[in-house]
């Protein structure tokens, strides 16, 4: 039963592990004594665990949910293409050919109504995904992503900051870790940079900044399309890696795909605004994929009953290389956006192998060396950037909400200190659990979730950080907790629905 | 199960103790490749804490959402009221205001909001805006202004917004003459409208 609880599979059915590591389901013992009911329960349990072909109503409900997702996304994008909405950042007008689809501006009520509709459809589709054809699910994601790709930038000015930093470095010869967009006030991208960020140096990792430089030469609109394509590539990579990791861990990959790829915060908030978080997450998932695919018994084999192999002889070198590359992928992810560095200690503690440490050190030396050559000492000073960002406060953060609940006007400096203390305590506890055999992937997911919940600067795209890990984690509590936190965030957005526009 | 058996179960398998240094650690400190099977207390406690945290977040979210609904109603009433006060021919709820600057006191538990805006469709930079101070509850979608002042709108481009600062405001009327801002400063520090363009003290980082 403990195994069943860990893997989140059917209750009432004992799960054993077949020779290839794929779970097989035996009917519960009492089924033999109660023929009709027992057979029914056993059949249901088997069908549930193995992702049986969908029944008619499952197909109908799945199609309805998919249609609702496409419709709501399309509605938001079509209305947004008209422009002039408070939900849109000041932006170059490059989606004029879409404006005649509806002719209406995007209002809060339409946006929030669509968001809630999308969220409800997502909730309905998640449990059905395991029964639906893979091609249909992939087609749904492709359609959603295509709609987001061709639409305008929604909700956030961050993509214009990415382009501004790229143009500063590539065209104006200014170090974006020293200078701010205010120093290129004559540049065509400048009017589109968010007012809060024009005096702020880049907070992104040096490798991402270097990667963004070529986009500077595409012009403003070309760079926006480039950033959109980059975000889409990262998002697709994230989905594919979530699929593969779920397969490796004997978790239904179709469910993982929908949990990650069709998430409202992924599609409507993050992809439609072309955020670079996808790149970081894709690298994080690549690291996890390389690690859990490595032939090492330490990959929670006892807990899940998998048949991971212990490396012997010549395979030891292969394992070492694979783990080194895995750690390197994480370090590269951290040099895209620093947050992902938080899961590195869990990987090292969970694996306790030289490969991860060697990979970390080598990639850090190379990555920071490149960053130093490109940007000087400011490019490698990630700590001060993190310290600066951790002092920001957003109205959507749980810290602010709890402060209001306690009758305080907002978050005070002492609250930052308390929250950091709580985060450190959670991190230490998770590290100890990992040291004592808890699944390091799940621990890393909890750590990312704790970072988002305790952060005073919470934005929608931060809440997708732990999602792919939660989708492939054997501790299903992580998935429920992540989805619950996301739901709270969505609920917090809906207040404009109750006030006149 | 004997104590010896229990101890044997708690000890990680030989391969799980790690190599070298780790193998010398006592069993309670040694790293493990998989968690030992316990009676589930740890999971129970963790789940209980998670549920408590989830409840706290849920309550805080709903409370804050309700609070924001109230603030949104105030904002809407403030804008409508500003139009009604400044437009003698006010007829409908959605009159005209331009370049609105709303300072809502949403951080302390008062209902004091200040709405500044232009009555004509002009670029705000270098113009004078009318500011009204609203206090009290919303009645039929409107709020009562207790006073106001004029604000010299400094700023040159989209990133230099109008700033409601005492050094840019003049001509206080009504309750604004005696009332102080939340930070203790007077509403109006300028004795008269500015005669020359004075570069604003903004964007100075």
């Amino acid at each position: 039963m403990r195994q069943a609880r860990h893997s989140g599979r059917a209750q009432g059915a004992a799960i054993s592990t077949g020779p290839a590591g794929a779970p097989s389901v035996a009917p519960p013992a009492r089924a033999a004594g109660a023929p009709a009911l027992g057979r029914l329960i056993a059949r249901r349990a088997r069908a549930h665990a193995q992702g049986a072909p969908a029944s008619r109503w499952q197909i109908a409900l799945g199609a309805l949910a998919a249609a609702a997702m496409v419709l709501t996304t399309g509605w938001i994008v079509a209305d947004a293409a008209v422009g002039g909405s408070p939900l849109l950042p000041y932006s170059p007008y490059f989606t004029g050919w879409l404006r005649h689809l509806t002719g209406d501006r995007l209002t809060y009520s339409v946006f929030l109504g669509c968001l809630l509709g999308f969220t409800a459809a997502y909730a309905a589709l998640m449990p059905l995904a395991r029964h639906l054809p893979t091609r249909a699910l992939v087609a749904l994601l492709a359609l959603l992503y295509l709609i987001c790709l061709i639409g305008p930038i929604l909700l956030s000015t961050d993509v214009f900051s990415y382009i501004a930093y790229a143009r500063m470095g590539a065209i104006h010869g200014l170090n974006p870790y020293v200078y701010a967009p205010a120093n290129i006030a004559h540049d065509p991208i400048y009017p589109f940079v968010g007012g809060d960020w024009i005096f702020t140096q880049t907070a992104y990792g040096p490798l991402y900044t270097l990667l963004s430089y070529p986009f500077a030469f595409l012009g403003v609109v070309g760079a926006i399309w480039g950033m959109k394509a980059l975000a889409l590539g990262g998002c697709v990579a994230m989905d594919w890696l979530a699929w593969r990791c779920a397969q490796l861990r004997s978790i239904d990959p179709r469910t993982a795909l929908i949990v990650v790829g069709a998430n409202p915060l992924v599609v409507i908030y993050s992809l439609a605004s072309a955020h670079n978080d996808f790149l970081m997450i894709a690298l994080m998932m690549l690291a996890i994929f390389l690690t859990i695919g490595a032939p090492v018994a330490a990959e929670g084999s006892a807990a899940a009953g998998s048949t991971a192999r212990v490396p012997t002889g010549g395979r030891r070198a292969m394992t070492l290389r694979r783990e080194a590359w895995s750690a390197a992928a994480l370090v590269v992810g951290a040099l895209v956006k620093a947050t992902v560095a938080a899961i590195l200690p869990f990987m090292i503690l969970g694996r306790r192998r030289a490969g991860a440490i060697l990979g970390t050190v080598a990639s850090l030396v190379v990555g920071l060396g490149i960053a130093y050559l490109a940007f000087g000492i400011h490019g490698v000073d990630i700590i001060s950037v993190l310290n600066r960002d951790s002092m920001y406060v957003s109205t959507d953060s749980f810290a602010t909400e709890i402060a209001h609940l306690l009758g305080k006007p907002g978050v005070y400096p002492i609250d930052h200190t308390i929250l950091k203390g709580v985060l450190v305590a959670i991190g230490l506890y998770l590290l100890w659990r990992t040291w004592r055999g808890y699944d390091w992937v799940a621990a890393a997911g909890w750590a990312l979730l704790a970072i988002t919940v305790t952060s005073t600067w919470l934005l929608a795209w931060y809440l997708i950080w732990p999602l792919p890990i939660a989708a492939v984690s054997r501790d299903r509590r992580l998935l429920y907790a992540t989805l619950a936190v996301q739901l709270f965030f969505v609920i917090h957005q809906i207040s404009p629905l109750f006030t006149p526009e | 199960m004997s104590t010896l058996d229990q101890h044997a179960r708690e000890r990680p398998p030989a391969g799980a103790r790690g190599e070298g240094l780790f193998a010398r650690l006592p069993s309670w400190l040694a790293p493990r490749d998989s968690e030992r099977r316990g009676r589930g207390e740890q999971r129970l406690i963790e789940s209980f804490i998670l549920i408590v945290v989830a409840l706290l977040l849920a309550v805080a979210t709903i409370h804050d959402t309700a609070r924001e609904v109230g603030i949104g109603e105030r904002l809407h009433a403030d804008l409508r009221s500003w139009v009604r006060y400044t437009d003698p021919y006010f007829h409908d709820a959605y009159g005209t205001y331009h370049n609105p600057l709303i300072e809502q006191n949403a951080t302390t538990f008062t209902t004091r909001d200040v709405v500044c805006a232009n009555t004509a469709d002009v670029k705000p930079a270098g113009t004078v805006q009318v500011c009204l101070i609203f206090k009290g509850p919303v009645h039929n979608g409107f709020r009562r202004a207790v006073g106001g002042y004029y604000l010299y709108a400094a700023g040159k481009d989209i990133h230099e917004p109008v700033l409601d600062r005492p050094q840019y405001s003049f001509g206080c009327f009504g309750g604004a003459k005696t009332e102080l801002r939340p930070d203790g400063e007077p509403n109006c520090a300028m004795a008269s409208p500015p005669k020359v363009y004075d570069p604003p003290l903004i964007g100075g980082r």
Side-chain angles (χ1 to χ4, degrees), chain A residues 163-183:
Chain A
I163 298 168
Y165 295 131
R167 291 179 68 87
M168 284 169 62
I171 295 176
H172 302 287
L174 297 175
N175 185 343
Y177 293 90
V178 177
Y179 296 95
N183 294 98

Side-chain angles (χ1 to χ4, degrees), chain A residues 5 190 193 198-199 298 302 352 401 404 407 409 429 432-433 435-438 446 477 488 492 495 499-500, chain B residues 22 27-35 42-43 46-47 61 63-64 67-69 72-73 76 107 109 159 203:
Chain A
R5 196 167 57 211
Y190 174 74
V193 179
I198 54 170
F199 297 110
R352 299 189 304 279
E401 292 176 13
H404 290 155
Y429 176 72
W432 170 249
R433 289 284 317 263
W435 181 251
R436 297 291 286 166
Y438 182 62
W446 284 117
R477 294 178 302 176
F488 295 151
H492 195 244
S495 62
T499 49
Chain B
F22 297 149
S27 77
W28 64 271
L29 194 58
R32 299 182 60 91
D33 289 338
S34 59
E35 286 188 295
Q42 189 178 29
R43 190 181 174 87
E46 285 176 349
S47 299
T61 300
H63 170 267
D64 212 46
R67 177 184 151 276
E68 287 189 349
V69 169
E73 281 178 357
H76 185 247
T107 54
F109 293 91
H159 289 313

Side-chain angles (χ1 to χ4, degrees), chain B residues 88-108:
Chain B
Y89 305 106
F90 176 83
H91 289 299
D92 63 10
Y94 299 95
T96 311
Y97 52 84
H98 303 277
N99 316 313
L101 167 72
I102 302 158
E103 293 215 343
Q104 269 203 317
N105 195 336
T107 54
T108 56

Side-chain angles (χ1 to χ4, degrees), chain A residues 230-253:
Chain A
L230 192 63
L232 179 64
C235 186
V236 170
M238 174 184 77
D239 293 349
W240 183 77
L241 288 163
W243 170 281
R244 292 288 291 122
C245 289
Q247 280 183 325
L248 284 171
R249 310 196 104 196
S250 303
I251 292 168
D252 183 69

Side-chain angles (χ1 to χ4, degrees), chain B:
Chain B
M1 183 184 293
S2 70
T3 312
L4 196 62
D5 290 340
Q6 183 80 34
H7 183 65
R9 271 171 58 83
E10 287 176 7
R11 289 184 63 189
R17 295 289 301 272
E19 298 94 20
L21 188 64
F22 297 149
R24 300 181 183 186
L25 292 171
S27 77
W28 64 271
L29 194 58
R32 299 182 60 91
D33 289 338
S34 59
E35 286 188 295
R36 70 169 192 224
R37 292 189 180 197
R39 285 178 298 178
E41 289 107 335
Q42 189 178 29
R43 190 181 174 87
L44 198 65
I45 293 168
E46 285 176 349
S47 299
F48 176 75
I49 293 171
L50 284 172
I51 289 169
V52 170
V53 172
L55 283 175
L56 173 67
L57 296 184
V59 170
T61 300
I62 291 167
H63 170 267
D64 212 46
T65 307
R67 177 184 151 276
E68 287 189 349
V69 169
I71 290 173
E73 281 178 357
R74 252 169 64 189
L75 170 67
H76 185 247
D78 288 346
L79 289 171
R80 293 179 75 198
S81 305
W82 187 92
V83 174
R84 188 163 74 168
Y85 274 108
T86 57
D87 180 3
Y89 305 106
F90 176 83
H91 289 299
D92 63 10
Y94 299 95
T96 311
Y97 52 84
H98 303 277
N99 316 313
L101 167 72
I102 302 158
E103 293 215 343
Q104 269 203 317
N105 195 336
T107 54
T108 56
F109 293 91
T110 76
T111 56
R112 181 188 189 274
D113 298 335
V114 180
V115 179
C116 303
N118 292 103
T119 52
D121 187 8
V122 292
K123 295 203 171 186
T127 66
V128 172
Q129 294 196 330
V130 180
C131 298
L132 294 179
I133 302 169
F134 294 100
K135 282 184 179 177
V138 178
H139 281 304
N140 299 323
F142 292 97
R143 293 220 298 159
R144 192 173 69 85
V146 297
Y149 48 88
Y150 298 96
L151 178 70
Y152 175 64
K156 286 179 286 189
D157 67 24
I158 191 168
H159 289 313
E160 292 188 336
V162 178
L163 286 184
D164 181 9
R165 297 281 182 268
Q167 61 265 36
Y168 301 133
S169 56
F170 61 94
C172 273
F173 52 87
K177 287 180 186 172
T178 53
E179 192 226 31
L180 296 177
R181 293 169 185 249
D183 57 9
E185 293 196 73
N187 281 309
C188 303
M190 283 204 299
S192 59
K195 291 176 181 166
V196 293
Y197 178 74
D198 185 16
L201 299 173
I202 56 176
R205 280 187 58 184

